[in-house]
């Protein structure tokens, strides 16, 4: 069912435009996936997501496994029906959240044991169990369990995590092949931290196992931006050209444009949704904070010419008022605009790649954002 086709490639950068076919429909790339942690992209209905142009969303295995749990989601034969979202869903493996949220996590070659951040209950996640939970969620794109480590220059520690990730990747591939091969795709996750040679070893191990696509993990974990871009620049070309390349957990609009230029096809990040709830809104002419007093009497929309529901109907003055009064509608209207902005940015990049004008687009994008 799953396949990936590159439609156009930019001549002067590594940017490419493609099509991903999944069991729940096609995804045009490059693509940004809004994060739907607990079976909802915070504050938006699925209709609002579709209206904003979302093609695929991300669900978090760790969160959904703890709450509501697989026996509830099984009643609906997966997350799609449970949350009323008919388009594709990518699920993460749970690894990142265990290492960042759970208490007392302990890693062995078999897997990881941890205590829930909600009630302290004890759980064990193995590579096999992570895949089984993602199958229960009905995921279209399943991710292998990987061991994430924080930003570190400890080479031995990084190599250990990489080796364990490769070993877990084999186990994930085996169980996925047995149980879900025809219904979904399985992506391997490259580790290796800030060490280019370790990234190379990680890529070689994963490519030998052979996955439907590949992700760069262990980025956006506290490293400076230039290091993130440097690692992406050296690692992305090592991955098989004809497979989708996903940079996990990144980023700002500028990051997305930089990474598309380096050949990345897929992204997810909480920035557009989380920042919307903090009053930060993205526009072509820079990022604004809606609580700023200069918007108190501003009758213009957040972004003139923006076709989103929020900009078609509401002024900056009204959005500022809602935000200052902590009205619930503020979160929804701000999120609608930010998701729409991210989706439009991806569409503009795709169209520029198709016309082989990506470099011109990028130059104009940077000029406008700085203006
Ligand atoms: Zn808008």
């Amino acid at each position: 069912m799953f396949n990936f086709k590159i439609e156009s490639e930019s001549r002067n950068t590594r940017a490419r435009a493609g099509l991903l076919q999944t069991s729940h429909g096609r995804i045009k790339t490059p693509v940004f996936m809004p994060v739907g942690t607990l079976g909802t992209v915070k504050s938006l209905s699925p209709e609002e997501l579709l209206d904003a142009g979302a093609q695929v969303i991300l669900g978090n295995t760790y969160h959904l496994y703890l709450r509501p749990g697989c026996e509830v989601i099984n009643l609906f034969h997966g997350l799609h029906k449970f949350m009323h979202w008919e388009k594709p869903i990518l699920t993460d493996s749970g690894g990142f959240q265990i290492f960042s949220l759970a208490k007392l996590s302990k890693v062995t070659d078999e897997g990881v044991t941890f205590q829930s951040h909600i009630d302290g209950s004890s759980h064990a996640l193995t590579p096999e169990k992570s895949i089984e939970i993602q199958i229960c969620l009905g995921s279209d794109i399943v991710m292998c369990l990987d061991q994430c480590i924080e930003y570190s220059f400890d080479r031995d520690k990084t190599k250990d995590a990489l080796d364990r990730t490769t070993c877990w990747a084999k186990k994930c591939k085996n169980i996925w092949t047995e149980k879900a091969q025809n219904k979904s795709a399985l992506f391997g996750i490259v580790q290796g931290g800030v060490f280019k040679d370790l990234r190379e070893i990680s890529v070689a191990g994963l490519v030998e196992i052979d996955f439907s696509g590949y992700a760069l993990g262990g980025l956006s974990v506290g490293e400076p931006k230039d290091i993130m871009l440097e690692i992406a620049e050296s690692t992305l070309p090592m991955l098989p050209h004809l497979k989708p390349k996903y940079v996990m957990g990144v980023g700002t609009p500028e990051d997305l444009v930089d990474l598309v230029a380096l050949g990345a096809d897929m992204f997810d990040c909480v920035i557009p949704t989380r920042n919307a709830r903090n009053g930060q809104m993205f526009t072509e002419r820079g990022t604004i904070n809606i609580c700023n007093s200069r918007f108190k009497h501003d009758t213009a929309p957040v972004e003139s010419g923006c076709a989103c529901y929020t900009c078609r109907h509401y002024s900056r003055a009204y959005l500022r008022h809602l935000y200052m009064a902590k009205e619930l509608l503020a979160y929804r209207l701000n999120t609608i605009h930010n998701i729409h902005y991210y989706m439009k940015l991806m569409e503009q990049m795709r169209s520029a790649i198709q016309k082989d004008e990506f470099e011109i687009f990028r130059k104009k994008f940077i000029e406008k954002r700085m203006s």
Side-chain angles (χ1 to χ4, degrees):
M1 192 68 224
F2 181 86
N3 79 61
F4 177 61
K5 200 173 94 200
I6 297 171
E7 294 183 314
S8 320
E9 289 180 75
S10 149
R11 258 179 303 177
N12 301 317
T13 70
R14 296 201 206 111
R16 62 240 203 112
L19 271 183
L20 276 171
Q21 180 69 50
T22 76
S23 321
H24 284 86
R26 284 195 313 184
I27 302 167
K28 294 174 186 170
T29 66
V31 64
F32 179 86
M33 305 178 279
V35 177
T37 304
L38 278 159
T40 166
V41 173
K42 289 191 194 306
S43 83
L44 297 194
S45 70
E47 285 76 12
E48 286 165 333
L49 274 174
L50 288 175
D51 200 42
Q55 309 183 70
V56 45
I57 57 166
L58 181 141
N60 283 120
T61 293
Y62 168 85
H63 289 285
L64 292 163
Y65 159 74
L66 290 177
R67 200 168 47 181
C70 277
E71 53 312 344
V72 173
I73 292 174
N74 266 333
L75 298 173
F76 299 84
H77 309 288
L79 191 54
H80 291 88
K81 280 220 171 69
F82 184 55
M83 68 173 287
H84 169 50
W85 173 255
E86 289 170 6
K87 295 220 167 207
I89 295 176
L90 178 145
T91 48
D92 65 4
S93 68
F96 184 79
Q97 273 76 25
I98 290 174
F99 295 109
S100 57
L101 282 181
K103 295 165 200 154
L104 298 172
S105 68
K106 185 168 175 273
V107 187
T108 66
D109 288 343
E110 277 64 53
V112 49
T113 51
F114 63 95
Q115 283 194 327
S116 157
H117 72 290
I118 304 166
D119 59 8
S121 54
S122 295
H123 301 268
L125 191 68
T126 61
E128 292 85 355
K129 190 166 171 188
S130 168
I131 301 296
E132 278 170 353
I133 300 168
Q134 294 180 71
I135 293 172
C136 144
L137 295 173
S139 174
D140 297 288
I141 303 174
V142 172
M143 301 301 297
C144 286
L145 184 65
D146 60 328
Q147 184 183 353
C148 303
I149 56 168
E150 70 284 7
Y151 174 48
S152 159
F153 284 98
D154 185 333
R155 195 185 159 87
D156 291 341
K157 193 174 156 190
T158 309
K159 176 76 165 58
D160 279 352
L162 175 177
D163 288 339
R164 195 166 283 123
T165 296
T166 309
C167 166
W168 287 354
K170 272 184 209 148
K171 295 180 177 183
C172 289
K173 174 79 188 279
N174 289 343
I175 186 152
W176 174 83
T177 306
E178 186 191 317
K179 298 194 169 176
Q181 186 166 206
N182 300 326
K183 294 180 201 143
S184 59
L186 179 68
F187 280 30
I189 304 178
V190 178
Q191 288 292 342
V194 294
F195 303 96
K196 288 180 190 170
D197 58 327
L198 295 188
R199 290 272 174 187
E200 200 171 349
I201 293 172
S202 177
V203 169
L206 295 176
V207 170
E208 200 185 316
I209 303 168
D210 188 25
F211 290 98
S212 329
Y214 297 87
L216 296 194
L219 292 178
S220 208
V221 290
E223 76 283 1
K225 186 150 293 190
D226 54 333
I227 293 194
M228 182 274 285
L229 289 172
E230 215 181 292
I231 292 297
E233 184 171 14
S234 63
T235 314
L236 285 167
M238 296 175 194
L239 296 169
H241 184 71
L242 298 175
K243 297 281 176 84
K245 305 178 184 186
Y246 166 24
V247 180
M248 303 176 82
V250 184
T252 63
E254 282 73 15
D255 293 339
L256 300 185
V257 174
D258 286 342
L259 289 165
V260 165
L262 297 175
D265 306 298
M266 302 165 68
F267 307 91
D268 80 278
C269 190
V270 294
I271 284 180
T273 42
R274 180 179 290 166
N275 292 23
R277 299 194 304 280
N278 292 325
Q280 200 180 68
M281 322 270 286
F282 296 97
T283 82
E284 283 189 359
R285 302 212 170 260
T287 304
I288 63 168
N289 221 312
I290 202 67
C291 60
N292 195 306
S293 58
R294 72 190 160 108
F295 300 128
K296 191 171 179 184
H297 303 101
D298 194 336
T299 55
V302 171
E303 179 161 38
S304 294
C306 174
C308 88
Y309 171 77
T310 303
C311 291
R312 276 187 285 125
H313 299 288
Y314 304 98
S315 63
R316 290 170 167 178
Y318 181 64
L319 294 177
R320 178 176 184 276
H321 156 70
L322 290 181
Y323 187 78
M324 299 309 280
K326 298 193 168 59
E327 277 294 333
L328 295 181
L329 185 59
Y331 307 116
R332 182 168 146 223
L333 294 181
N334 293 357
T335 307
I336 287 175
H337 171 80
N338 275 0
I339 291 291
H340 187 272
Y341 171 84
Y342 264 63
M343 298 301 123
K344 194 172 68 185
L345 174 62
M346 302 315 287
E347 271 171 35
Q348 287 170 337
M349 284 198 272
R350 182 176 157 83
S351 154
I353 298 164
Q354 286 173 326
K355 292 185 214 146
D356 202 13
E357 290 173 356
F358 187 76
E359 272 190 314
I360 303 166
F361 167 83
R362 186 183 185 184
K363 197 165 159 271
K364 280 191 192 152
F365 164 83
I366 295 167
E367 276 169 17
K368 274 198 203 165
R369 284 278 294 168
M370 309 259 284
S371 67

